[in-house]
Amino acid sequence: MTQIPAFAPSRRAVLAGLGALVAAPAYAASSPLNIVSTTGMIADLVRNIGGDQVSVTGLMGAGVDPHAYRQTRSDIVAMTRADAVMWHGLYLEAQMEDFLLDLGQTKPVHAIAETVNPDLLVAHEDYEGRFDPHIWMDPELWVQCVPAVVDALAELRPEARAQFEANAAAFKEEAQALSAYSADLLTSVPAERRVLLTAHDAFGYFGSAYGFEVMGIQGISTESEAGLNRISTLVDFLVERQLPAVFVETSVSDRNIRALVEGAAAQGHEVQIGGSLFSDAMGPDGTYEGTWLGMIDHNVTTIARALGVDAPAGGRLGKLRAAA
C-alpha cells in the first residue's frame, strides 16, 4: 500500500515556485550540461552517451525502489535548475509522474523509455494502458533508448552531436557483447532449471530474452501486495519442480522470499537463496555493479552460478566483486 510521504507538495505549489528556481544562473557554453536523471540506469545511459559534455545527477541511488519514490525538496531544486531532466517513464516513477509532466511545461524533460516502439513492450498486469517498464533487463531492448538520449543532448548542444553519436556507438557495442555473453551463459542452464523466482516481477524481459520462466511474488510494481495464497502456491511450485534456488532483490524486502524458503523446507525440500539481484536499482556508486553493464553482468553471472553453471565468478570482464 502506498505510504503518505512526509513531504508531498501540491502540484500548484510546486509550479508556483518554479519561476524563482529556474532563474538560477545558467552554465557557460563550455561547461558540462547539467542533467538530472531519476533512476541509476537512466543516469548511467546519459553519462555513457554524454561523456565529458555532461554532469549527471541521479536522484535514486543503490537500493532505492523507483515505484514508490517521491521527489524531495532537494530533488525539486536540482530538477528545476537542471538544463534537462531525463526520467525513465512507462509508469516506473509512478509517484513522480505528475510532477515531471508539469515540469515539462517549463524546461526540457524527457521520458526516455517511452520512445521505445510499444510493439516491443509487454502490457502492465496492474494498470490498463501501461507497459512493463523493466526494459533495462534485456540489453537488446535497452539500447533502443539510446537515440532518445542522443537527440535530447544534441538539442542542448548541437555542436557535440558527433561526439554523442560516437559514444552511443561504443555503448551499443558493449551492450551487444554483454547480450552475447548472457545468452551463451544462460543457455547452459539445464532446461528444467530455467526458472527465475524473485520478490517482484521485474524480470519479464529478461525471461523472454533468455528462455526463462519468470515468477514474482509481487506483480510488476512493488506497490502490489503478495497474499498468503500466492506464497503458498509458489511454495508448492518450488517443491513440485524441485527447484534449487530463488533470488532476493537489492531494492525489495527479502521477507517474502525467505517465507518461500521456509515453506519449502517444511515440505522437505531445501531451496537456497541463490543470491541478491539488482532489479530496480543498480549497485553502489563508483563500483562496476553501479553501472548498467555491471548490474546485468552481476545478475546473469549470479543466476547462472546458482543454477549450476560453472560461470566465472568475476563475470564477463572479471570485474564483479562477489558473484553468488
Side-chain angles (χ1 to χ4, degrees):
M1 180 177 296
T2 304
Q3 295 183 344
I4 297 174
F7 174 66
S10 69
R11 294 167 63 185
R12 179 174 298 178
V14 169
L15 290 175
L18 291 184
L21 289 170
V22 297
Y27 286 113
S30 59
S31 299
L33 294 168
N34 175 18
I35 309 296
V36 172
S37 301
T38 52
T39 69
M41 291 76 74
I42 292 291
D44 178 77
L45 193 59
V46 177
R47 289 189 184 105
N48 273 282
I49 295 171
D52 61 6
Q53 296 287 334
V54 299
S55 175
V56 183
T57 299
L59 300 182
M60 304 179 198
V64 174
D65 176 5
H67 297 282
Y69 188 86
R70 288 181 182 269
Q71 66 275 6
T72 65
R73 288 184 177 88
S74 60
D75 292 342
I76 293 172
V77 171
M79 286 187 281
T80 53
R81 289 180 172 171
D83 293 311
V85 175
M86 299 195 196
W87 56 302
H88 184 85
L90 298 177
Y91 211 50
L92 178 68
E93 305 97 330
Q95 310 305 319
M96 297 180 68
E97 185 170 279
D98 286 346
F99 173 81
L100 289 163
L101 292 173
D102 284 339
L103 184 62
Q105 303 300 310
T106 63
K107 67 166 47 261
V109 176
H110 303 276
I112 298 301
E114 293 186 3
T115 64
V116 173
N117 184 343
D119 291 342
L120 301 176
L121 305 179
V122 175
H124 200 300
E125 63 186 21
D126 296 323
Y127 301 102
E128 185 177 356
R130 302 280 189 170
F131 297 98
D132 180 347
H134 302 92
I135 62 174
W136 59 87
M137 290 298 183
D138 177 2
E140 300 291 338
L141 192 53
W142 188 233
V143 296
Q144 301 298 315
C145 295
V146 168
V149 177
V150 171
D151 289 344
L153 294 177
E155 285 178 9
L156 296 171
R157 190 155 292 177
E159 67 275 15
R161 176 177 279 277
Q163 179 180 342
F164 299 146
E165 290 177 343
N167 291 343
F171 178 79
K172 286 182 177 181
E173 185 175 343
E174 281 297 301
Q176 289 166 356
L178 176 61
S179 180
Y181 167 82
S182 301
D184 287 345
L185 204 59
L186 294 170
T187 54
S188 300
V189 176
E192 67 276 7
R193 290 189 173 190
R194 290 181 199 168
V195 178
L196 183 63
L197 203 162
T198 59
H200 88 295
D201 197 4
F203 293 84
Y205 295 110
F206 171 96
S208 296
Y210 303 115
F212 270 64
E213 185 177 356
V214 174
M215 307 184 77
I217 300 176
Q218 294 171 273
I220 289 173
S221 171
T222 56
E223 296 292 272
S224 60
E225 296 188 9
L228 292 177
N229 287 341
R230 175 65 173 167
I231 293 176
S232 177
T233 297
L234 290 176
V235 167
D236 292 341
F237 177 82
L238 286 172
V239 175
E240 179 184 352
R241 295 282 293 270
Q242 291 292 291
L243 296 177
V246 294
F247 300 87
V248 297
E249 302 173 34
T250 62
S251 55
V252 183
S253 169
D254 65 358
R255 181 181 66 254
N256 288 330
I257 288 293
R258 295 193 179 279
L260 288 184
V261 172
E262 294 170 2
Q267 295 189 34
H269 175 55
E270 183 178 353
V271 178
Q272 302 292 331
I273 292 181
S276 184
L277 305 180
F278 299 112
S279 55
D280 290 340
M282 305 189 305
D285 289 343
T287 67
Y288 176 54
E289 293 84 352
T291 67
W292 172 79
L293 290 168
M295 168 195 198
I296 302 302
D297 191 356
H298 167 91
N299 286 353
V300 167
T301 302
T302 297
I303 291 166
R305 287 170 62 85
L307 298 179
V309 176
D310 187 20
R316 180 175 73 96
L317 301 176
K319 293 182 178 181
L320 294 179
R321 293 178 299 170

